[in-house]
Amino acid sequence: MNKKIILIFTSISILSAFICFLGLFWAVFDKHDTIQSNKRVDHVNSEEKKNSSNTVHIVALGDSLTRGIGDDKGKGYVGDLKDMLIKKSKKKIQVTNHAIGGQTSSELLKQLKQPEVRRQLRQADIILISTGANDLFQGGAALDHLNMSYFNSIEKRYLVNAKHVYSTLRSLNSHATVFHIGLYNPFIDLEQSKLTSKMVSKWNVDNANLTRDYKKMIYVPTFDLFQLNVNDYLYSDKFHPNTKGYQLIAERVVSLIVFHEEGK
Amino acid sequence: MINLIYNEQLKLLRKKRLYVIMVMIFILVSLFTYAQYKQTNELIEKMGHVNWRVQLQQKIVDTQNRLNSTNIPNDFKQTLKIQVSQQQYYLDHNIDPAAPGAPTFMRIFIENAISLLLPLLVLVIASDLVSSEYSNGTIKLLLTRPVKRWKILMSKYFALLLSISLILFCMALFSYLISGLIFGYNGWSLPMITGFKADGNTLNTTGAYTIPLWKYVVIEYGLAWFVGVVVGALTLLLSVLIRSTAAVMGIMLASLIAGAILVNMVSSWHSAKYLFMLNLQLTHYIHGTNPPITGMTLGFSLIVLLIWLVISIIFSFAIFTKQDVY
């Protein structure tokens, strides 16, 4: 009895030792040089398209605003928007947020080249973007270069990128509605607010004019939301919105979405 | 010789310690499976569905956001950067690195067990192989037999090797059987990418290639086995030297835990890479994670561990055959 158990244990151990040694051998000596992609994409894609009629796919791109930095709940306007839509609509809402804090428009262009991001954009019903704030403000550094000529050069560069972003989005997906969240002036309470407000408004107008060239593309103004009592809606970094501020943005976008759905 | 090994196996099984270890592995695997199951459920709830590509992309974006935060130490940033480029690589090649299934669970389990759990279990076996003979006084009975001393120690080494193999076998078997109940038993042929080279800031993908998951798992268990052998040999050396099981346990535990802590903070202390406990995470090289100290590779770690192994074997034999027994 005892002898049998020992023999069983020992033989299992020996077997296992051999397998492990084989693994160790492979780890050291085995070399391949081929890499093959898994080609199941098309199959999966068609599967997803079938379920998509019942769900609204929302893809969010952009900077810290879309990421929701400053919101105590961590949701941002995208999260608030989702909650509001769930209440309003019977459809399933599915949100993917690809926003990266601090992203500039040129970095967004780079992100738009990633195949998975492109795949999801193709399936999206609603696309939310926020970009430009980091181009313009550079995290507050712009306050050191407050002059119109510097502003014009930045804006010119940005508008080229923005145009590129829009045309990429449209070429990927022509049916989704695109909401570009506009800029507000976080420095409206500081010195030289006249100049900063002038810059932000000009930026918004020029950007909104650009979106008019594309169908179903809406530039959502936020400037007025933060014009009065700006400090009530800003987070303690005095740059990002706080929970209340995000709520305001979400409400504005939601009203546009519902209007759009009824219009269909 | 066979009889001696048989004798050692008998002693090991009589002590019931192997059974305790098996029960421990069983309980731990069940716990981990349950935790993983909960996590997947929560993910489904949060994301709405379980398309892995959406999840992976989300993970990449989350990590990129962490990278932008200013209060992350530089070496951790590098690790994150490597992680992002690796995940992007998987995504670009349409391969799911964490496809649910029992084989994936086995892989994740051994990757997490290799640096601490497995050495601890080996420690439980090896720490008193020699020292208990002293404390029980049985060493005199053993050494008065007409058998060469080195043969006795050799038989103990073989018994240790067999026990380590058995521990790994139990880990593999239990994690496969238990996690399979929830995640399914399929997925052995899924492709995995290996051959990444993480150096400093960038992930070098030129040498990357795919292997089926079963081979990946066998390789990782093989590396874990080697780690077990090295830890076992070191413990046996201490067991020969110190003769007190508790002290052996204490020293080995301290160095293993020190290793687990040091791994996270030695990036600028270069000579630390010759310590055995910093080289235990061999599976990281297969996986392509940033090493704790730049310049460490799989070959380097294997050689360092091999040197520790050889030295501890030579010393334990030299001491055991010359030692006075009273």
Side-chain angles (χ1 to χ4, degrees):
Chain A
M1 171 67 193
N2 224 336
K3 196 166 183 176
K4 241 187 189 170
I5 291 177
I6 293 173
L7 275 179
I8 291 170
F9 270 89
T10 311
S11 39
I12 290 176
S13 308
I14 292 173
L15 179 75
S16 152
F18 270 112
I19 295 173
C20 288
F21 200 79
L22 181 70
L24 190 59
F25 181 80
W26 275 341
V28 181
F29 296 108
D30 206 38
K31 287 276 172 277
H32 291 258
D33 43 17
T34 47
I35 172 110
Q36 74 220 24
S37 296
N38 213 8
K39 280 177 189 145
R40 287 182 306 172
V41 192
D42 303 323
H43 173 68
V44 179
N45 271 352
S46 59
E47 223 171 75
E48 276 164 11
K49 265 174 198 157
K50 272 180 208 161
N51 327 330
S52 63
S53 57
N54 249 331
T55 40
V56 181
H57 292 269
I58 302 179
V59 176
L61 292 166
D63 49 29
S64 48
L65 191 74
T66 305
R67 177 92 319 228
I69 289 172
D71 186 354
D72 298 331
K73 292 178 196 156
K75 284 198 273 186
Y77 78 88
V78 179
D80 292 336
L81 186 92
K82 187 187 176 188
D83 292 347
M84 291 174 192
L85 283 180
I86 286 172
K87 273 183 205 161
K88 279 191 180 174
S89 169
K90 277 177 192 163
K91 285 185 176 180
K92 261 184 158 178
I93 312 288
Q94 192 208 310
V95 180
T96 34
N97 193 341
H98 293 307
I100 297 169
Q103 194 181 49
T104 60
S105 56
S106 53
E107 282 163 351
L108 175 62
L109 266 178
K110 252 186 234 158
Q111 200 186 20
L112 283 177
K113 285 185 186 130
Q114 291 178 13
E116 174 60 18
V117 173
R118 293 172 85 96
R119 193 188 65 84
Q120 286 183 28
L121 281 171
R122 269 187 218 114
Q123 293 178 354
D125 300 305
I126 294 170
I127 299 171
L128 301 167
I129 47 175
S130 69
T131 187
N134 291 307
D135 296 69
L136 175 59
F137 299 126
Q138 294 159 2
L143 288 177
D144 304 332
H145 306 271
L146 276 181
N147 60 66
M148 274 328 255
S149 62
Y150 183 67
F151 168 82
N152 284 333
S153 73
I154 299 178
E155 196 196 22
K156 212 172 157 191
R157 227 182 307 146
Y158 165 73
L159 286 174
V160 173
N161 284 339
K163 201 170 175 181
H164 222 95
V165 168
Y166 295 151
S167 51
T168 314
L169 287 179
R170 275 288 87 113
S171 69
L172 286 171
N173 185 331
S174 55
H175 63 85
T177 324
V178 178
F179 295 100
H180 187 150
I181 312 298
L183 299 190
Y184 56 90
N185 183 9
F187 308 118
I188 204 162
D189 258 14
L190 301 179
E191 293 166 36
Q192 293 186 292
S193 68
K194 234 181 178 177
L195 187 59
T196 50
S197 285
K198 189 180 160 196
M199 286 175 174
V200 174
S201 320
K202 183 170 185 301
W203 186 284
N204 278 333
V205 169
D206 291 342
N207 200 343
N209 279 335
L210 190 65
T211 55
R212 265 176 221 135
D213 295 345
Y214 300 88
K215 269 186 188 170
K216 282 192 178 181
M217 194 167 289
I218 298 165
Y219 193 82
V220 184
T222 57
F223 189 85
D224 51 338
L225 292 176
F226 293 88
Q227 212 163 355
L228 296 171
N229 302 329
V230 68
N231 283 327
D232 289 354
Y233 299 119
L234 283 190
Y235 182 58
S236 50
D237 62 2
K238 296 285 171 235
F239 187 67
H240 295 105
N242 60 13
T243 312
K244 271 196 216 159
Y246 278 119
Q247 206 109 33
L248 286 179
I249 299 175
E251 276 164 14
R252 182 154 279 184
V253 180
V254 158
S255 63
L256 292 169
I257 289 174
V258 172
F259 172 72
H260 167 75
E261 272 188 345
E262 283 165 358
K264 243 183 187 174
Chain B
M1 194 68 200
I2 301 269
N3 282 333
L4 276 172
I5 296 171
Y6 176 83
N7 186 31
E8 288 300 325
Q9 287 284 84
L10 182 71
K11 277 191 268 184
L12 268 176
L13 287 170
R14 271 283 166 80
K15 275 188 229 159
K16 302 262 189 291
R17 209 159 283 175
L18 271 175
Y19 299 114
V20 173
I21 286 177
M22 282 158 87
V23 172
M24 266 164 73
I25 296 174
F26 183 85
I27 293 172
L28 283 174
V29 168
S30 313
L31 279 177
F32 294 152
T33 307
Y34 185 69
Q36 183 102 36
Y37 168 71
K38 280 270 163 199
Q39 207 183 11
T40 351
N41 267 7
E42 200 192 79
L43 255 180
I44 294 172
E45 236 169 66
K46 241 194 233 163
M47 310 268 302
H49 68 142
V50 272
N51 186 333
W52 65 269
R53 265 171 284 150
V54 178
Q55 271 181 30
L56 194 58
Q57 183 72 50
Q58 199 69 68
K59 259 191 207 163
I60 291 172
V61 170
D62 287 346
T63 321
Q64 278 171 333
N65 271 299
R66 284 177 78 191
L67 273 173
N68 276 330
S69 157
T70 41
N71 53 3
I72 294 182
N74 261 343
D75 45 322
F76 187 53
K77 243 182 198 175
Q78 283 179 0
T79 311
L80 285 180
K81 265 185 201 160
I82 299 267
Q83 198 186 320
V84 165
S85 30
Q86 195 185 28
Q87 285 168 340
Q88 192 65 53
Y89 195 77
Y90 268 103
L91 205 51
D92 292 347
H93 288 83
N94 201 31
I95 290 173
D96 184 2
T104 303
F105 184 87
M106 285 171 77
R107 173 178 74 77
I108 294 171
F109 182 75
I110 198 66
E111 278 170 9
N112 286 305
I114 192 169
S115 62
L116 204 55
L117 180 63
L118 174 73
L120 284 185
L121 295 181
V122 172
L123 198 54
V124 171
I125 300 274
S127 61
D128 73 342
L129 265 182
V130 178
S131 55
S132 73
E133 305 267 7
Y134 282 103
S135 49
N136 294 336
T138 45
I139 188 79
K140 287 173 196 165
L141 296 176
L142 202 58
L143 293 185
T144 47
R145 304 279 141 178
V147 188
K148 290 250 165 58
R149 274 194 187 189
W150 67 264
K151 275 192 173 174
I152 289 172
L153 192 61
M154 188 68 112
S155 70
K156 284 187 184 296
Y157 264 108
F158 274 111
L160 181 63
L161 276 184
L162 291 175
S163 309
I164 292 167
S165 311
L166 189 68
I167 290 172
L168 276 164
F169 180 80
C170 289
M171 280 185 167
L173 187 73
F174 290 165
S175 54
Y176 182 64
L177 290 180
I178 297 172
S179 67
L181 284 177
I182 288 171
F183 303 114
Y185 292 102
N186 299 321
W188 284 110
S189 55
L190 285 171
M192 289 296 294
I193 304 174
T194 181
F196 292 117
K197 267 201 198 90
D199 39 64
N201 258 324
T202 50
L203 185 74
N204 186 350
T205 53
T206 46
Y209 57 94
T210 51
I211 53 173
L213 184 54
W214 64 267
K215 199 170 178 185
Y216 197 94
V217 168
V218 171
I219 286 178
E220 293 208 323
Y221 275 80
L223 292 174
W225 183 76
F226 186 64
V227 166
V229 170
V230 173
V231 172
L234 277 166
T235 318
L236 206 64
L237 170 65
L238 285 178
S239 186
V240 168
L241 273 174
I242 299 175
R243 303 186 189 183
S244 147
T245 310
V248 173
M249 276 274 207
I251 293 173
M252 283 307 288
L253 261 180
S255 50
L256 284 175
I257 291 172
I261 298 169
L262 273 177
V263 157
N264 296 316
M265 44 195 228
V266 285
S267 58
S268 46
W269 173 26
H270 279 267
S271 45
K273 63 185 173 187
Y274 299 108
L275 295 172
F276 82 93
M277 56 270 207
L278 290 179
N279 287 293
L280 294 183
Q281 289 181 327
L282 293 178
T283 49
H284 277 185
Y285 300 112
I286 301 294
H287 196 257
T289 324
N290 214 11
I293 299 166
T294 40
M296 286 168 77
T297 60
L298 177 64
F300 174 84
S301 283
L302 281 176
I303 288 171
V304 168
L305 288 180
L306 193 68
I307 292 171
W308 280 87
L309 176 68
V310 170
I311 289 176
S312 57
I313 288 177
I314 291 173
F315 269 86
S316 55
F317 273 95
I319 294 165
F320 190 76
T321 46
K322 300 256 162 69
Q323 215 164 27
D324 288 333
V325 175
Y326 40 85

